[in-house]
Amino acid sequence: MARNRLWARLNGAVEALDEPPATPLFAVDLDAFDANAADLVRRAGGTPIRVASKSLRVPALLRRALAHDGFHGILAYSLREALWLHDQGVSDDIVVAYPCVDRAALASLIGSPSAAAAITLMVDDTAHLELIDSLRASKAVPVRVALDVDAGLRMGSQHIGPKRSPLHDSHDVLRLARAVVARNGFRLVGLMSYEGQVAGVPDDVPGQRAKSLVVRRLKAASMSQLKARRLGITQKVADVAELEFVNAGGSGSVEATVADPAVTEVAAGSGLLVPTLFDHYQAFVPRPAAFYGVPVVRRPGPQLVTVAGGGYTASGAVGADRAPTPWAPPGLHLTSLEGAGEVQTPLTGHPASLLQVGDLVWFRHAKSGELFEHGNVVHLLAGDAFIDVVPTYRGAGQAFG
Ligand SMILES: Cc1ncc(COP(=O)(O)O)c(C=O)c1O
């Protein structure tokens, strides 16, 4: 069984370390990571993949993803992050996927012709342009911008999808496109439209057949509505600006997104590490690649062990699916009264009786990059051994929110 094998690999790798490691111990299985990268490339069918950095937050893993043929450029989540990644030489093609109102970071961008040539800002409102203009005396350094186009499904008065950009119709998008082009000091280089209601919703959940069917139907309706709208918008904007890219999608929607001829690149990040929220998609087989190990510290009863900490709950609408999952050895469960705790996490299940004080229990996080906000370094597993230890953003002294 894969989870028992993983347990043996991780524990063997820990035992072989020269010194006992600090816990919690964060680990990435590079064999799984590389297989996931290859599978994303297969699913993208020749469309380049822009790696979503929020879902990794480890520079060495970003570099590793970018080293795979088929990956190109970074979709960053903050301008400060983009400036830092550019400075570190991780990429010279970085699109910040969310609007930035951080004046200090914007001033740094405007002050650096090389950063301004490598980084693209996302805008969906003239207020974003005005803020940039208010920070500069000269417009000698052009600022690259892309427009975020809402990719939600509209059904009557309902909007299904992430509540982000107000730009939905081609009329709204074209008006802002023209405003960008008319302003000195800006270059409109791209469009982005993230169909989170397709990419981020599991559609093959065990025990939820009927719900999964409804989700798949909504996804199909969403993609067909979006395809028509996105093509019209792209054609109209291409008449006023020379677009370098039309970005869309995410790990959960790769093949559906690249089937849209308007799309020139697809974003993906979570599909490299496959946290638990990505376990149940029809389109791909999950290969979990990110884990954290916490030690058993006590035994409250014969069928119970308590591990130190481990309570790394994911962001998003609060629910059981945001909790971490004890993964190896298989068969352990959180208790309903305590869940995953701040400093102590009781676990039940048959392996509990076999675990000794000091043994590691390996967990998976519900989301992808957030896990690495909790640790400074990640041990990289290849085969049965840790072959490297690399800093997370946090370990490099960086926190981007
Ligand atoms: C703008 C944007 N693109 C793409 C993604 C997909 O990222 P991932 O592949 O990590 O799910 C996200 C995730 O939230 C996003 O916000």
Side-chain angles (χ1 to χ4, degrees):
M1 194 189 174
R3 282 163 72 175
N4 282 318
R5 166 94 191 99
L6 177 79
W7 198 46
R9 285 173 70 210
L10 287 167
N11 289 344
V14 170
E15 270 160 35
L17 289 171
D18 292 337
E19 286 177 18
T23 54
L25 190 155
F26 297 84
V28 165
D29 178 355
L30 293 177
D31 301 346
F33 183 93
D34 289 339
N36 289 332
D39 198 41
L40 286 166
V41 171
R42 175 194 65 75
R43 292 171 60 205
T47 300
I49 301 171
R50 188 177 285 279
V51 60
S53 60
K54 73 173 181 63
S55 303
L56 293 180
R57 305 190 196 205
V58 177
L61 294 178
L62 286 170
R63 289 183 195 272
R64 193 174 184 97
L66 290 172
H68 280 264
D69 280 345
F71 280 79
H72 182 84
I74 290 181
L75 192 70
Y77 61 101
S78 100
L79 176 56
R80 276 196 298 121
E81 177 206 14
L83 290 164
W84 182 66
L85 291 175
H86 174 253
D87 209 42
Q88 301 288 303
V90 176
S91 175
D92 60 4
D93 177 1
I94 307 176
V95 176
V96 183
Y98 316 96
C100 175
V101 294
D102 175 337
R103 286 160 201 265
L106 289 166
S108 301
L109 180 79
I110 297 161
S112 163
S114 79
I119 295 171
T120 303
L121 300 180
M122 199 57 60
V123 299
D124 63 31
D125 195 311
T126 47
H128 300 139
L129 308 173
E130 276 154 19
L131 178 60
I132 295 166
D133 273 343
S134 74
L135 297 168
R136 57 181 173 177
S138 148
K139 297 188 176 171
V141 177
V143 173
R144 294 165 56 85
V145 297
L147 305 186
D148 187 354
V149 179
D150 174 54
L153 170 68
R154 284 215 176 148
M155 295 201 311
S157 60
Q158 293 244 59
H159 173 277
I160 300 170
K163 307 295 177 282
R164 295 185 186 177
S165 173
L167 307 175
H168 189 84
D169 300 335
S170 60
H171 182 73
D172 306 330
V173 182
L174 202 57
R175 195 171 43 207
L176 187 58
R178 289 207 173 104
V180 174
V181 172
R183 257 175 204 254
N184 245 340
F186 289 95
R187 279 188 58 210
L188 175 56
V189 296
L191 296 177
M192 187 191 80
S193 53
Y194 170 57
E195 53 272 49
Q197 73 281 12
V198 180
V201 184
D203 58 11
D204 194 17
V205 184
Q208 298 182 15
R209 256 188 88 195
K211 185 178 169 199
S212 294
L213 194 67
V214 173
V215 169
R216 290 204 290 275
R217 290 214 176 121
L218 271 178
K219 286 187 177 190
S222 195
M223 288 314 289
S224 94
Q225 192 183 87
L226 181 58
K227 196 170 168 183
R229 192 162 56 85
R230 195 151 47 191
L231 186 63
I233 289 172
T234 306
Q235 283 169 343
K236 289 196 175 109
V237 177
D239 285 343
V240 301
E242 203 173 316
L243 294 178
E244 294 173 17
F245 64 85
V246 177
N247 180 282
S251 298
S253 74
V254 173
E255 45 287 278
T257 298
V258 300
D260 181 338
V263 170
T264 66
E265 57 175 49
V266 62
S270 305
L272 292 163
L273 295 177
V274 189
T276 57
L277 282 171
F278 282 80
D279 274 352
H280 305 299
Y281 281 73
Q282 218 177 31
F284 64 98
V285 177
R287 260 182 233 91
F291 309 95
Y292 61 98
V294 281
V296 173
V297 287
R298 49 175 43 165
R299 176 181 283 294
Q303 297 295 326
L304 271 171
V305 287
T306 298
V307 295
Y312 306 146
T313 302
S315 61
V318 176
D321 64 351
R322 305 286 140 168
T325 303
W327 192 249
L332 292 171
H333 306 283
L334 302 174
T335 64
S336 55
L337 275 182
E338 292 186 57
E342 182 185 5
V343 288
Q344 297 276 279
T345 297
L347 298 169
T348 60
H350 67 89
S353 59
L354 305 171
L355 287 168
Q356 312 281 321
V357 168
D359 286 348
L360 290 178
V361 172
W362 297 90
F363 283 66
R364 289 172 66 203
H365 198 266
K367 291 186 82 171
S368 199
E370 279 178 38
L371 172 60
F372 298 128
E373 294 295 340
H374 297 282
N376 291 330
V377 293
V378 181
H379 285 67
L380 302 180
L381 181 74
D384 292 334
F386 289 131
I387 57 162
D388 208 352
V389 184
V390 295
T392 59
Y393 281 8
R394 169 179 151 163
Q398 304 295 328
F400 302 114

